[in-house]
Amino acid sequence: MSEASLTFTVTSADTALALGSGSLEVLGTPRLLAWCEAATCEAIGSSLGEGETSVGTRVALEHKAASAVGASLEVSASLVYSDGRLRRFSVAARDGSAVVGTGEITRVVVDAERFLSRLQK
């Protein structure tokens, strides 16, 4: 099973105020989501073939508790479902024993060059 854990420290650049997602200097949900996605990328990385990458296609995230600037969060991702190119991960963020966020992120494995060639220019 593919899994990964990453550790992040909340800085003033990670706050809801700095990210435009609120008015408080606590961890902003957009940054929590980015950290959860980073954990899924780390978890899926070793299973990718040459020229492959993964793209996020679906997110369900519950931000359960505030985290102050200076807090250290462990963000983990565990593969819970795989079907062909589709990979679904359970994600969680913890500040010590406190659960800060939980959710599920779906990624799809793609050929990077082919994917980029489809973009409108």
Side-chain angles (χ1 to χ4, degrees):
M1 183 177 286
S2 299
E3 50 189 50
S5 289
L6 302 173
T7 302
F8 299 94
T9 301
V10 180
T11 69
S12 58
D14 302 316
T15 66
L17 179 63
L19 296 169
S21 67
S23 61
L24 300 176
E25 292 194 34
V26 296
L27 177 63
T29 304
R31 185 69 78 223
L32 176 61
L33 172 58
W35 289 348
C36 288
E37 285 206 283
T40 66
C41 289
E42 183 73 19
I44 200 173
S46 65
S47 69
L48 297 174
E50 187 166 335
E52 289 183 327
T53 190
S54 68
V55 295
T57 60
R58 183 179 176 279
V59 172
L61 182 65
E62 184 176 0
H63 196 163
K64 297 177 174 228
S67 300
V69 171
S72 179
L73 272 65
E74 180 181 9
V75 181
S76 61
S78 297
L79 183 67
V80 294
Y81 180 79
S82 179
D83 184 13
R85 299 181 308 129
L86 184 137
R87 307 286 188 279
R88 189 169 302 132
F89 294 88
S90 173
V91 295
R94 290 178 177 77
D95 181 354
S97 62
V99 177
V100 173
T102 59
E104 189 174 88
I105 296 177
T106 301
R107 304 191 69 78
V108 174
V109 176
V110 298
D111 178 276
E113 188 175 310
R114 185 171 165 202
F115 183 85
L116 291 174
S117 73
R118 295 179 176 170
L119 296 177
Q120 296 289 338
K121 300 198 177 178

